[in-house]
């Protein structure tokens, strides 16, 4: 409103100006008020978003753009190490673990052979397949076994491999795997009642993440029987040279890259994660989930990381206290995983560490390799965070039957001849088709690119470690040249495996966040792969794994009580390039002088070069390999080591003499002494005692009689008439007749 008060005409303009200014002020105030209201609403909306976000993720705030997290409340610190075993071969079949299920396919053809759980269900059909699987589920993992693992005192967790087909069936799995979840829930109850946690490991996904049979389906598999003419009729297949994996999409074996990404398969895997979380989020024994096991090294890394991120958010929305454990895709490298999901709670990296695919080597090499893993684990713990060794074993060779696939093997494996033992009786009972193995048949088809299978009722298993007796006893090279089964009194497997187990446990648990041994048991007697058998043999300690013998197991390796030297008996042309590389790594530019060295002189130069480089970089994880031409030997320092707990088997060979050998030698010595004493006593008596000679001379034993009449036993003290016996006339006549003749 305008003012009506106008006292002076001269003031009218001023008054109008004041009125105008007041209108401006009022307008400005209204504008400011409205702006503040909008800001307040915006802040309120932002607060609501943050609050909703915090409600959606209870302990952190995710950053989708960077795959990192902030505001971690540290509500579930990873303070307790995992000491666990895998329940492999139960829900996802692997022929090498439970061959009794696959003997029925020996001698079959292209349409009747199964090599994994996918083809198992396809060949047998849903009804027969499910009948056999239910019998297998009932007997492979039992409450008694879980009780034995729990009462061991060292196991606190179980890693359970499952298939995506159990939660969202497809293809031949429909109907074939019915009832699997009932057994899983039963396992949860067994574990919970005994204080064991369970890590759900999605071991198999649609399309196969690695092409192995452990992914559910062996991808890149072709029958080649039609090409066989000599001998005709062989049923053959090819797998390893053409292996592929199609979970992520179409893989080009020529370029080693994926030409397209299969979004449907990835979404299928995410759907399965969501189903699992909805089913088990409230189960108190579930430790967490591993979204996919062993995606192979060709998996597109960006796609894999996005899958991990999406899966992590799915889990954390519904199960905020679960661990989320990701496999490293066979790329355990800080450049790959350092900083990924930084600040996100409850995530860990899983790596699998096996020695079964290493080249044959001395026990010291395997010991050193086991202990060196702690350096890699420590580096990843610094760059990424918690690391778990999700799979490891005590195998130092590739001999376990079907380890590389049903009736197949990797080209060039196994590296050494394998030991054979009688195949085990079927664990589920003799009603299982194809069991027991026919002892009257040689190895049967179908045949892959490599050889592995039962022969006349015998199954291949891991080699024995030999008690060294020749060469350099500190290197253990007798093992590589010996028969696969140690001669009586020469088997040193118990000592080697016990030391190796202690060193691995020390390395995996001393730095990282724990481990799961692969596997809890095996169908064929294979303690290298069976936790239960390894404990029974005394290879793995029961109870407290923090005891001093384990904690100090890597002391020699950690303090460098080894030398890295050139292997002897190698070609100079093989050794020379590796020495040159080591010298250059150590700062030597001119290595031409190596061309003038040969034989032992060249080896000595290699000793110096290899050891200098290895000692300088071993803490960072360097190995004593140098292209396979170098090996570790132990420094003989046993005379200065006082700790009785720390006595590795290769340092004091005399203390390892077999008790049976001692007994046999003692018996032989006593028996030999008795025989020698008897003979000497007899000879002395014949020489000095006339009465003894007279007794012997009347003996019916012609040999003793003749000996007693030799000159040696008659000459001492002169001749005596009574020493002579009369010769019958018949003998004289015979002698004369002989002379005339």
């Amino acid at each position: 409103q305008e003012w009506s008060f106008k006292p002076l005409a001269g003031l009218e303009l001023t008054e109008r100006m004041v009125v105008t200014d007041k209108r401006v002020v009022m307008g400005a105030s209204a504008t400011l008020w409205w702006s503040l209201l909008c800001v307040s609403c915006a802040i309120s909306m932002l607060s609501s978003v943050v609050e909703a976000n915090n409600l959606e993720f209870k302990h952190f705030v995710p950053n989708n753009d960077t795959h990192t997290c902030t505001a971690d409340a540290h509500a579930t610190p990873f303070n307790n190490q995992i000491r666990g075993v895998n329940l492999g071969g139960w829900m996802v079949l692997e022929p090498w673990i439970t061959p009794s299920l696959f003997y029925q396919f020996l001698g079959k053809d292209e349409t009747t052979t199964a090599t994994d759980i996918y083809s198992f269900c396809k060949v047998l059909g849903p009804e027969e397949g499910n009948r056999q699987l239910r019998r297998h589920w009932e007997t492979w993992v039992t409450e008694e076994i879980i009780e034995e693992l729990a009462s061991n005192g060292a196991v606190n967790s179980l890693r359970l491999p499952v298939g995506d087909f159990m939660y969202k069936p497809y293809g031949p799995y429909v109907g074939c795997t019915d009832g699997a979840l009932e057994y899983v829930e039963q396992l949860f109850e067994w574990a919970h009642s005994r204080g064991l946690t369970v890590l759900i490991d999605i071991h198999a996904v649609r399309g196969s993440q690695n092409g192995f049979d452990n992914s559910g389906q062996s991808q890149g598999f072709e029958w080649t029987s039609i090409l066989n003419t000599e001998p005709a009729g062989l049923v053959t297949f090819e797998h390893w040279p053409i292996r592929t994996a199609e979970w992520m999409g179409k893989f080009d074996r020529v370029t080693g890259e994926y030409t397209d990404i299969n979004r449907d398969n990835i979404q299928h895997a995410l759907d399965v994660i969501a189903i699992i979380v909805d089913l088990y989020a409230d189960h108190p024994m579930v430790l967490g989930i591993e979204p996919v096991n062993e995606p192979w090294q060709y998996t597109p890394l960006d796609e894999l990381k996005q899958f991990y991120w999406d899966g992590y958010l799915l889990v954390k929305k519904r199960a905020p206290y679960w661990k989320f454990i990701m496999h490293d895709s066979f790329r355990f490298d800080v450049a790959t995983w350092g900083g990924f999901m930084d600040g996100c709670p409850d995530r860990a990296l899983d790596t699998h560490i096996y020695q079964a695919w290493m080249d044959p080597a001395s026990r010291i090499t395997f010991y050193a390799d086991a202990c060196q893993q702690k350096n890699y684990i420590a580096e990843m713990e610094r760059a990424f965070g918690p690391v778990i060794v999700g799979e490891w074993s005590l195998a130092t060779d590739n001999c376990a039957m079907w380890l590389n696939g049903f009736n197949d093997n990797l080209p060039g494996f196994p590296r050494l001849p394998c030991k054979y033992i009688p195949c085990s009786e079927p664990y589920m009972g003799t009603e299982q088709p194809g069991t027991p193995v026919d002892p009257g048949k040689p190895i049967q088809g179908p045949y892959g690119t490599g050889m592995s299978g039962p022969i006349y009722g015998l199954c291949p298993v891991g080699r024995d470690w030999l008690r060294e007796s020749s060469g350099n006893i500190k290197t253990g090279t007798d093992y590589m040249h010996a028969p696969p089964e140690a001669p009586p009194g020469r088997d040193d497997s118990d000592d080697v495996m016990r030391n190796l187990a202690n060193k691995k446990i020390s390395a995996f648990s001393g730095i990282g966040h724990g481990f799961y041994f692969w596997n809890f048991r095996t169908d064929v007697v294979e303690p290298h792969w069976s936790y239960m058998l390894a404990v029974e043999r005394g290879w793995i300690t029961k109870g407290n794994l923090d005891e001093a013998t384990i904690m100090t197991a890597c002391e020699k390796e950690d303090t460098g009580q080894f030398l890295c030297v050139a292997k002897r008996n190698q070609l100079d042309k093989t050794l020379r390039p590796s020495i040159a590389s080591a010298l250059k790594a150590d700062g030597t530019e001119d290595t031409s002088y190596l061309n003038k060295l040969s034989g032992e002189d060249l080896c000595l130069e290699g000793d110096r070069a290899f050891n200098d480089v290895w000692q300088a970089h071993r803490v960072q994880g360097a190995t004593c390999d140098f292209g396979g031409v170098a090996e570790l030997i132990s420094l003989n320092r046993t005379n200065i080591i006082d700790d009785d707990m720390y006595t590795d088997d290769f340092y004091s060979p005399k203390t390892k003499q077999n008790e049976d050998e001692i007994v046999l030698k003692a018996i032989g010595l006593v028996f030999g002494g008795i025989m020698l004493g008897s003979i000497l006593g007899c000879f002395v008596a014949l020489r000095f005692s006339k009465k003894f000679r007279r007794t012997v001379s009347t003996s019916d034993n012609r040999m003793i009689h003749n000996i007693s009449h030799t000159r040696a036993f008659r000459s001492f003290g002169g001749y005596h008439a009574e020493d002579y016996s009369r010769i019958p006339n018949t003998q004289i006549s015979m002698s004369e007749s002989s002379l005339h003749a």
Side-chain angles (χ1 to χ4, degrees):
Q1 292 181 342
E2 290 189 9
W3 293 354
S4 57
F5 173 68
K6 300 179 182 178
L8 295 173
L11 297 176
E12 183 177 354
L13 183 58
T14 303
E15 290 173 355
R16 288 181 181 274
M17 290 176 62
V18 171
V19 170
T20 303
D21 288 344
K22 286 191 174 247
R23 288 176 177 174
V24 170
V25 171
M26 291 176 64
S29 298
T31 302
L32 179 60
W33 179 85
W34 180 253
S35 298
L36 290 174
L37 180 63
C38 291
V39 170
S40 177
C41 289
I43 292 174
S44 177
M45 292 175 63
L46 183 60
S47 298
S48 299
V49 170
V50 172
E51 183 178 357
N53 204 27
N54 285 337
L55 289 175
E56 191 174 29
F57 301 102
K58 190 172 183 179
H59 303 130
F60 67 98
V61 176
N63 304 311
N64 289 309
D65 294 340
T66 58
H67 292 169
T68 59
C69 301
T70 53
D72 179 10
H74 300 286
T76 52
F78 206 154
N79 290 335
N80 297 321
Q81 285 195 344
I82 293 171
R83 310 286 176 84
V85 296
N86 284 272
L87 300 181
W90 191 35
M91 289 295 149
V92 180
L93 302 183
E94 298 185 39
W96 78 274
I97 298 177
T98 57
S100 291
L101 270 178
F102 288 82
Y103 289 146
Q104 61 187 309
F105 304 115
L106 291 172
K108 298 300 179 65
D109 59 22
E110 293 89 340
T111 60
T112 56
T113 298
T115 62
D116 47 45
I117 190 170
Y118 183 93
S119 53
F120 181 92
C121 288
K122 183 177 180 180
V123 168
L124 295 180
E127 184 175 342
E128 176 61 17
N130 188 249
R131 186 180 71 84
Q132 292 192 25
L133 283 177
R134 284 180 179 271
R135 186 168 56 215
H136 160 71
W137 295 331
E138 194 76 31
T139 53
W140 186 240
V141 174
T142 65
E143 186 173 10
E144 291 73 23
I145 288 174
I146 301 303
E147 172 62 29
E148 181 177 342
L149 291 171
S151 62
N152 172 275
V155 175
N156 61 21
S157 188
L158 306 171
R159 183 170 179 257
L160 174 63
V162 299
D164 63 349
F165 47 80
M166 296 163 53
Y167 300 93
K168 196 174 181 181
Y170 53 90
Y173 298 118
V174 176
C176 185
T177 58
D178 286 356
L181 299 188
E182 299 170 13
Y183 289 93
V184 170
E185 291 174 2
Q186 186 178 62
L187 170 71
F188 287 169
E189 297 308 314
W190 293 341
H192 181 52
S193 65
R194 291 163 176 83
L196 302 177
T197 63
V198 179
L199 173 64
I200 302 171
D201 158 43
I202 303 180
H203 221 67
V205 296
R206 190 174 71 182
S208 176
Q209 70 274 21
N210 55 34
F212 302 151
D213 55 14
N214 65 27
S215 70
Q217 184 178 10
S218 302
Q219 282 281 354
F221 187 98
E222 292 183 7
W223 292 100
T224 57
S225 308
I226 196 171
L227 302 176
N228 298 318
T229 56
E230 294 294 337
L234 286 182
V235 180
T236 58
F237 62 87
E238 188 175 23
H239 170 54
W240 285 108
I242 57 174
R243 179 172 63 106
T244 188
E246 296 184 351
W247 168 54
M248 273 281 178
K250 191 69 175 176
F251 180 71
D252 188 337
R253 290 198 300 265
V254 177
T255 63
E257 297 178 350
Y258 280 82
T259 56
D260 65 79
I261 301 300
N262 192 324
R263 301 295 173 190
D264 289 340
N265 279 352
I266 296 174
Q267 187 58 50
H268 182 273
L270 291 171
D271 292 344
V272 169
I273 293 173
I275 293 171
I276 290 174
V277 174
D278 288 340
L279 282 173
Y280 308 130
D282 298 324
H283 276 275
M285 83 296 303
V286 177
L287 175 69
I289 192 170
E290 187 160 357
V292 63
N293 174 70
E294 292 186 346
W296 72 340
Q297 61 271 33
Y298 300 108
T299 305
L301 197 58
D302 290 343
E303 296 291 342
L304 181 61
K305 287 184 174 181
Q306 186 63 50
F307 169 74
Y308 282 159
W309 178 255
D310 293 340
Y312 176 76
L313 297 183
L314 277 174
V315 170
K316 283 301 180 181
K317 285 179 183 177
R318 181 73 176 83
Y321 295 99
W322 278 20
K323 307 296 183 191
F324 189 82
I325 300 176
M326 303 165 285
H327 187 262
D328 62 8
S329 185
F330 302 104
R331 289 173 279 195
F332 193 65
D333 177 58
V334 295
T336 300
W337 299 107
F340 178 60
M341 292 177 65
D342 190 35
C344 298
D346 303 317
R347 96 278 195 256
L349 194 65
D350 173 22
T351 189
H352 298 170
I353 302 175
Y354 288 117
Q355 294 180 321
W357 285 267
M358 287 175 57
D359 283 339
S362 69
R363 65 190 69 184
I364 296 178
T365 299
F366 285 106
Y367 291 165
D369 176 76
C371 291
Q372 281 179 332
Q373 300 304 322
K374 69 170 63 176
N375 297 318
Y376 304 124
I377 293 172
E379 187 179 14
M380 187 63 76
E381 287 261 348
R382 289 190 295 268
F384 169 84
V387 174
I388 293 171
V389 180
E391 294 182 18
W392 66 280
S393 77
L394 292 175
T396 54
D397 58 48
N398 225 235
C399 283
M401 186 176 74
W402 297 346
L403 179 61
N404 293 314
F406 173 80
N407 264 23
D408 199 8
N409 228 322
L410 277 169
F413 284 87
R415 298 297 202 200
L416 291 173
C418 299
K419 176 182 174 181
Y420 280 78
I421 64 172
C423 300
S424 303
E425 292 294 317
Y427 60 90
M428 73 288 284
T430 53
E431 65 271 20
Q432 174 64 30
T435 63
V437 174
D438 191 341
K441 290 184 178 180
I443 191 166
Q444 303 176 69
Y447 305 101
T449 51
M451 291 284 287
S452 183
I455 302 175
Y456 294 111
L458 301 177
C459 289
V461 295
R463 295 167 54 87
D464 291 339
W465 274 92
L466 196 70
R467 178 160 295 136
E468 304 299 324
S469 63
S470 64
N472 186 344
I473 198 165
K474 301 191 186 88
T475 64
T477 53
D478 279 5
Y479 161 77
M480 293 177 275
H481 304 287
E485 184 170 5
R490 296 287 304 281
D491 188 1
D492 214 19
S493 298
D494 287 347
D495 282 337
V496 175
M497 290 296 106
R498 183 167 51 251
N499 284 319
L500 187 60
N502 286 345
K503 292 175 189 295
K504 288 192 174 189
I505 294 172
S506 176
F508 301 159
S509 61
I511 300 296
H513 280 68
F515 58 80
Y516 291 95
F517 186 92
W518 188 278
N519 192 31
F520 79 111
R521 67 183 290 207
T522 52
D523 188 359
V524 177
V525 179
E526 266 284 17
H528 306 87
W529 292 96
S530 168
Y531 180 85
M532 296 172 70
L533 286 178
V535 170
E536 182 181 313
R537 290 280 294 267
W539 295 358
I540 296 179
T541 303
K542 286 184 178 181
N544 183 18
L545 296 182
D546 294 326
E547 62 182 28
T549 53
I550 293 177
M551 293 298 99
T552 61
C554 286
E555 182 178 335
K556 288 187 177 70
E557 289 78 8
D558 292 345
T559 55
Q561 295 182 31
F562 295 92
L563 293 175
C564 181
V565 300
K567 293 179 180 178
R568 266 45 180 181
N569 301 319
Q570 295 186 95
L571 296 176
D572 290 348
K573 65 179 181 180
T574 302
L575 187 59
R576 196 172 284 116
S578 296
I579 298 176
S581 297
L583 289 170
K584 290 179 180 178
D586 202 28
T588 302
E589 294 296 332
D590 185 9
T591 61
S592 59
Y593 72 94
L594 294 175
N595 295 323
K596 300 177 182 178
L597 301 178
S598 62
E600 184 61 18
D601 291 337
L602 185 62
C603 286
L604 291 172
E605 185 64 15
D607 293 347
R608 183 189 66 78
F610 295 152
N611 193 62
D612 287 349
V613 173
W614 178 72
Q615 293 285 5
H617 302 284
R618 64 181 180 81
V619 176
Q620 289 78 35
T623 62
C624 178
D625 184 80
F626 297 97
V629 301
E631 63 182 354
L632 288 174
I633 64 170
S634 168
L635 290 175
N636 189 11
R637 296 185 181 179
T638 52
N639 59 330
I640 62 172
I641 295 177
D642 297 325
D643 190 354
D644 293 334
M645 298 178 301
Y646 190 50
T647 53
D648 282 355
D649 52 359
F650 53 84
Y651 288 100
S652 301
K654 290 182 181 179
T655 65
K656 298 300 180 182
Q657 189 174 16
N658 186 271
E659 293 179 1
D660 293 338
E661 291 179 343
I662 295 174
V663 173
L664 290 174
K665 288 179 179 180
I667 293 174
L669 184 61
V670 172
F671 184 75
I674 292 173
M675 291 297 295
L676 182 61
S678 299
I679 294 171
L680 289 175
C682 181
F683 275 59
V684 171
L686 284 171
R687 186 173 179 87
F688 292 99
S689 175
K690 292 184 290 183
K691 186 177 180 179
F692 184 75
R693 283 199 304 274
R694 188 181 301 113
T695 302
V696 172
S697 66
T698 59
S699 172
D700 292 335
N701 191 309
R702 178 57 56 186
M703 182 185 73
I704 296 177
H705 178 86
N706 291 338
I707 292 173
S708 69
H709 282 75
T710 61
R711 187 178 183 86
F713 298 110
R714 299 174 56 83
S715 59
F716 186 81
Y719 293 99
H720 300 275
E722 64 268 29
D723 292 339
Y724 291 90
S725 299
R726 290 184 60 84
I727 300 175
N729 292 331
T730 54
Q731 291 189 18
I732 296 173
S733 301
M734 288 177 62
S735 299
E736 291 176 348
S737 300
S738 299
L739 287 171
H740 289 304

